Amino acid sequence: MTEQRQKEFSELVEPHLSSLYSTALRMTHNQNDAEDLVQDTLYKAFRALDQFQRNTNFRAWVFRILVNTFITGYRKAVKQPQKVSYDDLEEFFLYKKLDDTVSLQESSKEDFLDNFFDDDVKGALDSLPYQFRLVVLLCDVEGFSYNEISKIIDAPLGTVMSRLYRGRRLLQRSLWNYAKKRGYVTDEVKKRS
Amino acid sequence: MKSKNAHKDHFDCAEIEELAQKYIDGRLTDHEDKLFKEHLEYCVPCDKKLKFELQLKEFVQLKSKEEVPTEKLKRKLNKLFEELN
Ligand SMILES: [Zn+2]
């Protein structure tokens, strides 16, 4: 009986291990905590397996446990960004910045993203306040739908959308700051003729 | 839920900006989606912006891939089972 249960659980969870770990790593910022967080999640999920309704969405179910485990056990230990300003965060932030600066030709805007290393992007993600980071990760990296995210983070759809849209803009600003720091762009504004 | 855009027969650039994120996530109604795409066909600036946003979303997913210690995690899982037995 136990063995069968373990086998079933392994089969359910193994396809999602790498997603769980990646998300845990982006949330905790370090490998040890990420591994512990995944382990705690697996432990809770296995114990709660009877509550999981077969043929429903296991991936969303186990992510919900991951998120709750993070919030109750790990969040406090993670350094949050000091103060995040939401001013000047307009739609198409990055595109408009690229449009306005001297260092890039019109033709290279599409190639601009090729400048970035993986670590720049991870660093940019890591710099977001965790509520925003989480929703961006769930949607843009893990591919969950708005409805799934709403259940995973236990928040209304409107909250999911506002955090996602704001989170994406914060991410764009953060990428812009990385680009400046790395010298891919300058802040010098084009003279309009 | 009836969309507030149901009566519209075209979108202007401001409306495109307002609905851009939903478009990217495939969350527009059929009618909104139709008007949105029509706008992108004739408005080059909006078309470029949306292409960039779509490219960016893909880019973030691609670049945030992690080296996952799968074997280690599987071992942890098995250890967990042993402890529970
Ligand atoms: Zn337009």
Side-chain angles (χ1 to χ4, degrees), chain B residues 11-14 16-17 39-40 42-47 49:
Chain B
F11 283 150
D12 58 28
C13 294
I16 292 298
E17 184 157 330
H39 184 101
L40 295 188
Y42 62 76
C43 181
V44 177
C46 282
D47 190 43
K49 283 178 194 140

Side-chain angles (χ1 to χ4, degrees), chain A residues 85-99:
Chain A
S85 137
Y86 301 105
D87 304 340
D88 80 7
L89 268 187
E90 48 179 352
E91 188 61 286
F92 307 129
F93 178 90
L94 195 52
Y95 187 95
K96 286 175 181 169
K97 279 284 184 198
L98 290 171
D99 227 13

Side-chain angles (χ1 to χ4, degrees), chain A residues 2 6 9-10 13-14 17-18 21-22 25-26 35-36 38-39 42-43 46 91-92 94-96 98 106 109-110 113 116 118 121-122 125 140-141 146-147 157 161 164-165 168 171-172 175, chain B residues 16-22 24-25 27 44-46 48-50 52-53 55-57 59-70 72-74 76-85:
Chain A
T2 344
Q6 291 176 2
F9 184 71
S10 296
V13 84
E14 273 180 23
L17 277 181
S18 63
Y21 175 79
S22 303
L25 185 57
R26 287 277 74 72
E35 284 173 20
D36 287 350
V38 172
Q39 188 175 349
L42 295 176
Y43 177 77
F46 182 69
E91 188 61 286
F92 307 129
L94 195 52
Y95 187 95
K96 286 175 181 169
L98 290 171
E106 175 67 19
K109 209 179 286 156
E110 282 68 33
L113 295 175
F116 288 99
D118 289 14
V121 179
K122 290 170 188 170
L125 275 164
D140 290 354
V141 179
Y146 290 8
N147 283 314
L157 218 51
M161 290 192 272
L164 177 62
Y165 303 161
R168 280 176 178 160
L171 180 62
Q172 292 196 3
L175 283 170
Chain B
I16 292 298
E17 184 157 330
E18 194 187 312
L19 293 171
Q21 300 297 317
K22 281 190 177 169
I24 285 163
D25 294 330
R27 295 282 304 187
V44 177
C46 282
K48 282 189 169 178
K49 283 178 194 140
L50 264 300
F52 185 78
E53 295 295 306
Q55 189 195 357
L56 187 63
K57 183 176 168 178
F59 160 84
V60 169
Q61 185 176 41
L62 202 73
K63 292 284 183 175
S64 55
K65 286 266 173 289
E66 281 299 335
E67 198 79 42
V68 178
T70 318
K72 198 172 175 186
L73 291 172
K74 280 187 190 167
K76 279 184 185 255
L77 184 61
N78 285 325
K79 217 172 138 233
L80 202 75
F81 290 152
E82 279 165 31
E83 279 164 22
L84 284 165
N85 278 340

